[in-house]
Short mmCIF file of all heavy atoms in Angstrom, two decimals:
data_model
loop_
_atom_site.label_atom_id
_atom_site.label_comp_id
_atom_site.label_asym_id
_atom_site.label_seq_id
_atom_site.Cartn_x
_atom_site.Cartn_y
_atom_site.Cartn_z
N ASN A 59 -189.72 51.25 -115.42
CA ASN A 59 -190.24 50.33 -116.44
C ASN A 59 -190.63 49.02 -115.78
O ASN A 59 -190.38 48.82 -114.58
CB ASN A 59 -189.19 50.10 -117.55
CG ASN A 59 -187.88 49.59 -117.02
OD1 ASN A 59 -187.80 48.49 -116.47
ND2 ASN A 59 -186.85 50.39 -117.14
N GLY A 60 -191.22 48.13 -116.54
CA GLY A 60 -191.71 46.85 -115.98
C GLY A 60 -190.59 45.91 -115.57
O GLY A 60 -190.73 45.14 -114.63
N THR A 61 -189.48 45.99 -116.29
CA THR A 61 -188.36 45.11 -115.96
C THR A 61 -187.78 45.50 -114.60
O THR A 61 -187.48 44.63 -113.76
CB THR A 61 -187.28 45.21 -117.07
OG1 THR A 61 -187.91 45.01 -118.35
CG2 THR A 61 -186.19 44.18 -116.88
N LEU A 64 -190.04 44.21 -111.80
CA LEU A 64 -189.78 42.80 -111.46
C LEU A 64 -188.48 42.66 -110.67
O LEU A 64 -188.43 41.94 -109.68
CB LEU A 64 -189.67 41.99 -112.76
CG LEU A 64 -190.97 41.72 -113.51
CD1 LEU A 64 -190.69 41.31 -114.95
CD2 LEU A 64 -191.80 40.66 -112.80
N THR A 85 -193.22 33.53 -121.76
CA THR A 85 -193.39 34.91 -121.32
C THR A 85 -192.42 35.78 -122.09
O THR A 85 -191.54 35.28 -122.80
CB THR A 85 -193.13 35.04 -119.80
OG1 THR A 85 -193.30 36.41 -119.41
CG2 THR A 85 -191.73 34.59 -119.41
N PHE A 86 -192.56 37.08 -121.92
CA PHE A 86 -191.56 38.00 -122.45
C PHE A 86 -190.28 37.78 -121.65
O PHE A 86 -190.30 37.54 -120.44
CB PHE A 86 -192.04 39.46 -122.34
CG PHE A 86 -191.04 40.43 -122.85
CD1 PHE A 86 -190.57 40.35 -124.16
CD2 PHE A 86 -190.54 41.43 -122.04
CE1 PHE A 86 -189.62 41.25 -124.63
CE2 PHE A 86 -189.59 42.34 -122.50
CZ PHE A 86 -189.13 42.23 -123.79
N ALA A 88 -188.09 39.48 -120.24
CA ALA A 88 -187.79 40.27 -119.04
C ALA A 88 -188.12 39.54 -117.75
O ALA A 88 -187.49 39.76 -116.72
CB ALA A 88 -188.56 41.60 -119.08
N THR A 89 -189.12 38.65 -117.77
CA THR A 89 -189.52 37.91 -116.57
C THR A 89 -188.30 37.13 -116.03
O THR A 89 -187.95 37.21 -114.85
CB THR A 89 -190.67 36.93 -116.87
OG1 THR A 89 -191.70 37.62 -117.58
CG2 THR A 89 -191.22 36.33 -115.61
N VAL A 131 -196.96 34.47 -114.44
CA VAL A 131 -197.16 35.55 -115.42
C VAL A 131 -198.61 35.47 -115.90
O VAL A 131 -199.09 34.39 -116.26
CB VAL A 131 -196.20 35.37 -116.62
CG1 VAL A 131 -196.42 36.45 -117.68
CG2 VAL A 131 -194.76 35.36 -116.15
N ASP A 157 -196.21 38.74 -112.26
CA ASP A 157 -195.88 39.56 -113.42
C ASP A 157 -197.21 39.90 -114.10
O ASP A 157 -197.77 39.09 -114.85
CB ASP A 157 -194.94 38.85 -114.38
CG ASP A 157 -194.46 39.78 -115.51
OD1 ASP A 157 -195.10 40.85 -115.71
OD2 ASP A 157 -193.47 39.44 -116.21
N SER A 159 -197.71 42.50 -116.08
CA SER A 159 -197.39 43.47 -117.13
C SER A 159 -198.35 43.43 -118.32
O SER A 159 -198.40 44.37 -119.11
CB SER A 159 -195.98 43.24 -117.66
OG SER A 159 -195.06 43.46 -116.64
N GLN A 160 -199.10 42.32 -118.45
CA GLN A 160 -200.04 42.22 -119.57
C GLN A 160 -201.49 42.19 -119.06
O GLN A 160 -202.40 41.86 -119.81
CB GLN A 160 -199.75 40.94 -120.40
CG GLN A 160 -198.33 40.89 -120.90
CD GLN A 160 -198.05 39.74 -121.86
OE1 GLN A 160 -198.90 38.88 -122.07
NE2 GLN A 160 -196.87 39.74 -122.45
N SER A 181 -195.89 46.78 -116.17
CA SER A 181 -195.20 47.61 -117.17
C SER A 181 -196.23 48.56 -117.75
O SER A 181 -197.38 48.17 -117.98
CB SER A 181 -194.64 46.73 -118.28
OG SER A 181 -194.33 47.52 -119.43
N LYS A 186 -199.03 48.54 -123.83
CA LYS A 186 -199.73 47.74 -122.81
C LYS A 186 -201.16 48.26 -122.61
O LYS A 186 -201.48 49.37 -123.05
CB LYS A 186 -198.96 47.78 -121.48
CG LYS A 186 -197.52 47.21 -121.59
CD LYS A 186 -197.51 45.69 -121.75
CE LYS A 186 -196.20 45.15 -122.31
NZ LYS A 186 -195.18 44.75 -121.37
C1 PLP B 401 -193.80 44.20 -121.15
C2 PLP B 401 -193.47 43.09 -120.25
C3 PLP B 401 -192.40 43.18 -119.33
C4 PLP B 401 -191.37 44.28 -119.35
O1 PLP B 401 -191.83 45.53 -119.24
P1 PLP B 401 -190.93 46.80 -119.72
O2 PLP B 401 -191.73 47.97 -119.25
O3 PLP B 401 -190.86 46.72 -121.20
O4 PLP B 401 -189.62 46.69 -119.07
C5 PLP B 401 -192.22 42.13 -118.44
N1 PLP B 401 -193.01 41.05 -118.45
C6 PLP B 401 -194.03 40.92 -119.33
C7 PLP B 401 -194.86 39.69 -119.29
C8 PLP B 401 -194.27 41.92 -120.27
O5 PLP B 401 -195.26 41.76 -121.16
#
Side-chain angles (χ1 to χ4, degrees):
N59 56 64
T61 309
L64 287 163
T85 179
F86 179 58
T89 311
V131 179
D157 187 345
S159 296
Q160 304 188 353
S181 163
K186 300 287 161 93

